[in-house]
Amino acid sequence: MADHPVDEKLPPLKMATTGLQHVAAMYAGVVAPPLIVGAAIGLTATELTFLTGACLFTAGLATFLQTLGIWKIGARLPFVNGVTFAGVAPMTAIVASTEDKSDALPIIFGAVIVAGLIGFFAAPFFSKAIRFFPPVVTGTVITLIGISLLPVAFGWAQGSSPEADDFGSSTNLALAGITLVVVLLLRRFTRGFVKQIAVLLGLVAGTLIAIPFGVTDFGPVADASIVGFPTPFHFGAPQFQLAAILSMCVVMVVSMTESTADMLALGEIVDRPADEKTIAAGLRADTLGSALSPVFNGFMCSAFAQNIGLVAMTKIRSRFVVAAGGGFLVLMGLCPMAASLIAVVPRPVLGGAGVVLFGSVAASGIQTLVRASLDKDNNVLIVAVSLAVGIIPIAAPEFYHSFPENAKIILDSGISTGCLAAVLLNLVFNHIGGRGRDAEDVTHPMEAGTEITEATATRAPATP
């Protein structure tokens, strides 16, 4: 009996190039949190490079846990793990409230360790929510994942920083557009292996085209050392403060919610639906990876939704390909010069490729919704309201500005709020009180009701 495509082992060259493609897709997301937090603390350039390398190293270890797995740990799906961006706001808040900035990272690391361990033991209970994720819910959440990621791609397309003089310039947008066109042409007119690594080739082509425009910076390669190791607790032994621990526990709940949605999405894409057992194992890998990450000076780890789009687009479903990507991440953590090679890719070039990747996730969600019985108005209402709630942080970023900071950690995540709305609405409309009106096909909520004719309008009421 042939192996499922998820368990397929590809030839070494194909494994390496497609794995590197996953690294290229996620690199910017991994290095952004340490750069932001490190800048808030005031780390030197050397310390910042060390922190970034540590996050790459721990992302690779967490990816190994997810893809290869040990015991009951790991979803064993092509699932990439890395530093979650949901933790950036509370971590910078911890930095701001710490008088001695040298204590900031130890306090953050201590909070992440505790939150990770709590999440690890809570994973089996959290995974039981799978029964509340029918296609109408999973399709909505997958669509929201793609929609929520698209603004990231649009931001990359404009440039590296909103403060930069060339941010949003015609040059940057043109480079993003060229990269997008190259990827589309490769997908349309090539076959086989070349077609499958179209994103990687598009990134290479975009980077080369950017050189004459002065957008490609090779400085990180020249300044990087060849060998480096993330020494355990390099910034000091972990410290445990209750307020910091509580804030990171909230982030852990958000992270576990998003990871559950991502596993459901990936399971649909690779034709191996994620059941309760798979989700529990995947959440254990997430949380254990997060608990171990601070030992090597990394932050909380979670699923990377952008790589789901890469799986959907390339149709390469092997988990060993993603494990190869995890190997590259570990090597980059051990070799800063290798890590800097990915950093050479200009942000606008990443943005052009991101449009394809993230749009593919949204398209996968729409495909799932096709199976969600949208001829029933209850399901249409569930999708409509959940999408609206999930899009609030994108369409109106200041919508929750008056809420407490801890609440905004959840509310500012459209994926989490949209997922919660979809689950609750599905319970109300399709579970509580029986099947209700949805037992039969009913009219679309936007369709007119029964036409009121002159005869019905003037018909006299029946006499008792």
Side-chain angles (χ1 to χ4, degrees):
M1 182 176 176
D3 288 338
H4 190 282
V6 168
D7 300 316
E8 182 183 5
K9 294 181 180 179
L10 305 182
L13 178 61
K14 192 171 185 178
M15 188 93 72
T17 52
T18 49
L20 188 60
Q21 189 170 234
H22 275 284
V23 174
M26 72 178 292
Y27 179 83
V30 174
V31 301
L35 290 176
I36 294 170
V37 175
I41 296 173
L43 297 181
T44 65
T46 302
E47 291 173 329
L48 203 55
T49 300
F50 181 92
L51 185 63
T52 302
C55 287
L56 289 167
F57 179 78
T58 54
L61 296 182
T63 299
F64 282 153
L65 278 177
Q66 278 290 12
T67 54
L68 303 179
I70 53 171
W71 186 56
K72 296 181 180 180
I73 301 169
R76 292 171 173 82
L77 291 171
F79 205 47
V80 177
N81 272 45
V83 181
T84 175
F85 210 87
V88 170
M91 286 192 293
T92 53
I94 292 171
V95 172
S97 63
T98 304
E99 291 186 12
D100 186 352
K101 299 305 179 188
S102 64
D103 290 333
L105 282 175
I107 292 172
I108 290 172
F109 292 153
V112 172
I113 290 172
V114 174
L117 291 175
I118 292 174
F120 180 83
F121 291 108
F125 306 100
F126 202 92
S127 67
K128 294 185 183 299
I130 180 66
R131 70 192 68 176
F132 303 120
F133 287 84
V136 68
V137 174
T138 56
T140 301
V141 174
I142 297 168
T143 303
L144 271 175
I145 291 172
I147 293 173
S148 298
L149 287 169
L150 281 171
V152 176
F154 301 148
W156 288 347
Q158 295 179 82
S160 58
S161 171
E163 287 76 33
D165 294 335
D166 65 344
F167 188 75
S169 66
S170 57
T171 299
N172 286 348
L173 297 181
L175 288 172
I178 291 170
T179 303
L180 173 59
V181 170
V182 169
V183 173
L184 293 176
L185 290 175
L186 289 171
R187 291 289 299 176
R188 173 63 181 85
F189 295 108
T190 62
R191 294 181 180 180
F193 181 54
V194 174
K195 183 175 183 178
Q196 290 172 333
I197 62 169
V199 172
L200 181 60
L201 295 177
L203 291 173
V204 173
T207 301
L208 294 176
I209 293 170
I211 293 175
F213 296 96
V215 179
T216 306
D217 180 15
F218 290 96
V221 178
D223 298 336
S225 57
I226 298 177
V227 179
F229 183 79
T231 313
F233 300 124
H234 175 82
F235 295 97
Q239 299 179 27
F240 304 96
Q241 291 190 3
L242 182 59
I245 291 171
L246 290 176
S247 66
M248 296 312 294
C249 283
V250 172
V251 176
M252 180 58 72
V253 172
V254 173
S255 174
M256 292 173 75
T257 301
E258 294 189 356
S259 287
T260 299
D262 288 340
M263 276 184 271
L264 291 167
L266 189 58
E268 292 286 341
I269 290 169
V270 302
D271 195 27
R272 181 181 276 182
D275 56 15
E276 183 179 320
K277 181 180 176 181
T278 300
I279 291 175
L283 292 177
R284 287 192 190 99
D286 261 13
T287 52
L288 181 60
S290 295
L292 293 176
S293 184
V295 175
F296 298 100
N297 313 284
F299 298 139
M300 187 178 292
C301 294
S302 182
F304 265 54
Q306 52 262 51
N307 292 79
I308 296 176
L310 191 57
V311 173
M313 193 190 75
T314 63
K315 308 299 183 185
I316 297 178
R317 295 178 277 178
S318 171
R319 60 191 174 100
F320 296 105
V321 163
V322 176
F328 281 117
L329 290 170
V330 170
L331 289 176
M332 288 178 178
L334 298 175
C335 178
M337 183 172 287
S340 66
L341 289 174
I342 298 293
V344 168
V345 180
R347 202 61 60 85
V349 173
L350 280 174
V355 171
V356 179
L357 296 177
F358 306 157
S360 296
V361 177
S364 297
I366 295 171
Q367 288 177 330
T368 303
L369 285 174
V370 169
R371 308 196 307 271
S373 300
L374 294 186
D375 55 333
K376 305 180 188 305
D377 67 344
N378 286 353
N379 285 347
V380 172
L381 287 172
I382 292 169
V383 175
V385 175
S386 301
L387 285 178
V389 170
I391 291 173
I392 286 175
I394 303 170
E398 299 300 319
F399 191 82
Y400 301 112
H401 74 277
S402 63
F403 283 72
E405 289 299 320
N406 285 342
K408 287 196 288 186
I409 294 172
I410 299 175
L411 295 174
D412 284 341
S413 170
I415 298 172
S416 296
T417 54
C419 179
L420 182 62
V423 170
L424 292 178
L425 289 171
N426 180 60
L427 281 173
V428 171
F429 281 102
N430 294 331
H431 289 270
I432 297 176
R435 296 179 67 191
R437 294 178 64 230
D438 238 14
E440 300 177 359
D441 289 352
V442 292
T443 60
H444 189 288
M446 294 303 291
E447 288 179 357
T450 304
E451 184 179 356
I452 300 177
T453 63
E454 183 177 348
T456 57
T458 58
R459 184 181 300 151
T463 56

